[in-house]
Each structure stands twice: as structure tokens, then as C-alpha cells.
Amino acid sequence: MKLIIINGPNLNLLGKREPKIYGTASFEDYFKILQKNFPQHELSYYQSNIEGALIDKLHEVGFTYDGIIFNAAAYTHTSVGLGDAVKAIETPVIEVHISNVHAREEFRHQSFIAPNAKGVIAGFGLQSYDLAIASFS
Ligand code: DQA
């Protein structure tokens, strides 16, 4: 299947950013592991810190790809625009978080993505991405 991982703001700093919460691996390195773990899928990866760029990417892939694994990061909790984009497209979206957002500050309990996502996976570290990809097998 043709699957894309889309990561939102500050996730370009994975490995350096708050390693106690988000771990010590960069996403570029972890993406190589994902490609090895799931050779049956055609995986691609996109990251942006810009809300509009994430919306553009959802529009670009959202009618042709088989699945989107989406960690909207902080925009999860704030972005009506990203929530509307997920609603507007046809490709199923799995919302992913590295940390268990429900065990953290209350503002992280709200998601504008979840109501229109196929499912939500949170709290398994970078393995959250494995679990999301496995759901397409
Ligand atoms: C995150 C959780 C968000 O609350 C936070 O803003 C992030 C990362 C996660 O993957 O755990 O940047 O989406």
C-alpha cells in the first residue's frame, strides 16, 4: 500500500527535543527502521512546521494514497483547519502521538483531528508509528 507519514511542528527536532518524553532517535533514523519493518508498503515521509503546508500536503495525497499516518503535534490541539482538511479528503487518516497525550496537560486532551480520523494511537513512543502502519496490513 502507498502510505505517508506526515509530522507536524517541532517533530523535526526529534532526538534533541525533550528526550525524556520523545526519545533520543531522530525521525529520519526511525523512518529507515520503519521501511525495514514494513517492506510490503511504499512508505514516504513529510514534515513541516507550517500549518498551511500540512494542509496542502493532506490535499495533495488525500485522494490517491491508501493511508496517512498523521502526527499533527501541537496543531492537533488547536487547528480547525487541519481538522477540516482531514474531513475533506478520502484517504483514511490515523492520528498518532509519541507520548500519551491523555496523561499530560489538559490542553493536550483535545484533538481537532480525532473526530475525522479512522483511529488514534498514542503513548507507545516511536512504536506508535509501527502500530499505525500495521493497521493497514
Ligand atoms: C505530540 C504530542 C503533542 O501534544 C505535542 O505538542 C507534540 C508531540 C506527540 O507525538 O506526543 O509536539 O504530538
Side-chain angles (χ1 to χ4, degrees), residues 9 11 17 22 71 73-74 77 96-99 101 104 108:
L11 293 173
R17 170 195 184 199
Y22 298 115
N71 186 347
H77 319 300
V96 159
H97 299 285
I98 297 164
S99 63
V101 285
R104 299 181 65 192
R108 294 185 203 276

Side-chain angles (χ1 to χ4, degrees), residues 45-122:
Y45 165 57
Y46 176 79
Q47 191 276 332
S48 178
N49 295 320
I50 301 164
E51 189 177 11
L54 293 165
I55 292 172
D56 284 345
K57 183 52 84 172
L58 289 168
H59 292 179
E60 183 192 318
V61 300
F63 296 89
T64 50
Y65 279 54
D66 298 304
I68 298 170
I69 292 108
F70 189 25
N71 186 347
Y75 290 145
T76 306
H77 319 300
T78 62
S79 178
V80 174
L82 280 169
D84 281 353
V86 169
K87 193 172 187 180
I89 61 177
E90 285 172 0
T91 300
V93 172
I94 310 288
E95 175 181 337
V96 159
H97 299 285
I98 297 164
S99 63
N100 178 357
V101 285
H102 297 287
R104 299 181 65 192
E105 303 95 321
E106 197 158 339
F107 69 85
R108 294 185 203 276
H109 302 178
Q110 158 89 347
S111 170
F112 286 97
I113 310 301
N116 299 304
K118 186 177 175 198
V120 180
I121 298 170

